[in-house]
Amino acid sequence: MNNHSLLDITLPASDHRRLERLALLGADQGDVDARFLLSEINRAEVVSDRAARLDRIVTMGSWVTFWINWGFPRDTRQLVYPEDYTSERTQISVMSPLGAALVGLRVGSEIPFFTAGRTNVVRVECVSRGHPKDVVRVLFGNPAVHARKLFSDDDPGPSAA
């Protein structure tokens, strides 16, 4: 995509209302990330909470697999509201630069976002609303089978050369 500024984003009506209140509050307090989120919310297409196409859209509570700047490994995290944020390893707050960039994007979309003094680009690879175990299964097959192969008891382990 050459023109990130025209990228379409879609939000379910319930997310839109709550995000707008959250972003307005933060923007009034001078929060730059809240202003970015507000700009994204203002240009979003708002659809019914039950719209079928939301299956491929990053919405609140969804698990999203993404790449940043094409050189970093992909990551999968859940997009959450700030009050639900409990883990840096498994979640992204929508009030963070990355969270604000991801919300409303569809699978295959990419968008620039500014953090830590530089512009980055994030690309959405996969979206899931299931339990995290389901996301892992979709991305990597059955992890229990792979774990048994990697850590079987009959493995003699490393040996000296």
Side-chain angles (χ1 to χ4, degrees):
M1 286 182 191
N2 294 332
N3 190 350
H4 297 289
S5 64
L6 297 178
L7 189 65
D8 294 330
I9 64 170
T10 305
L11 293 174
S14 61
D15 283 0
H16 184 269
R17 283 187 300 276
R18 189 169 173 191
L19 288 169
E20 186 173 47
R21 285 192 301 268
L22 185 64
L24 283 169
L25 181 64
D28 286 346
Q29 296 173 356
D31 184 328
V32 174
D33 297 330
R35 289 182 184 151
F36 174 52
L37 178 59
L38 189 58
S39 70
E40 293 297 283
I41 293 166
N42 286 337
R43 69 184 189 85
E45 176 187 3
V46 181
V47 298
S48 162
D49 287 359
R50 296 180 186 192
R53 66 181 165 170
L54 288 175
D55 289 345
R56 297 183 46 84
I57 303 289
V58 179
T59 59
M60 297 307 301
S62 65
W63 289 84
V64 58
T65 300
F66 57 91
W67 298 79
I68 297 177
N69 290 2
W70 301 100
F72 293 99
R74 73 177 166 197
D75 198 0
T76 300
R77 297 196 194 174
Q78 184 181 34
L79 185 65
V80 297
Y81 289 102
E83 62 270 20
D84 298 327
Y85 183 82
T86 58
S87 171
E88 182 178 319
R89 296 190 70 218
T90 60
Q91 296 175 322
I92 301 168
S93 170
V94 72
M95 291 299 287
S96 70
L98 177 57
L102 285 169
V103 71
L105 289 183
R106 70 181 173 277
V107 172
S109 295
E110 62 184 47
I111 190 170
F113 68 101
F114 190 77
T115 187
R118 60 179 269 189
T119 300
N120 297 283
V121 176
V122 62
R123 178 173 171 79
V124 176
E125 181 178 305
C126 177
V127 174
S128 172
R129 279 165 193 58
H131 188 273
K133 289 178 186 174
D134 297 333
V135 175
V136 170
R137 208 170 279 120
V138 167
L139 293 174
F140 304 108
N142 186 340
V145 171
H146 296 296
R148 280 196 302 272
K149 288 179 185 175
L150 291 173
F151 303 108
S152 67
D153 290 337
D154 59 351
D155 182 359
S159 58

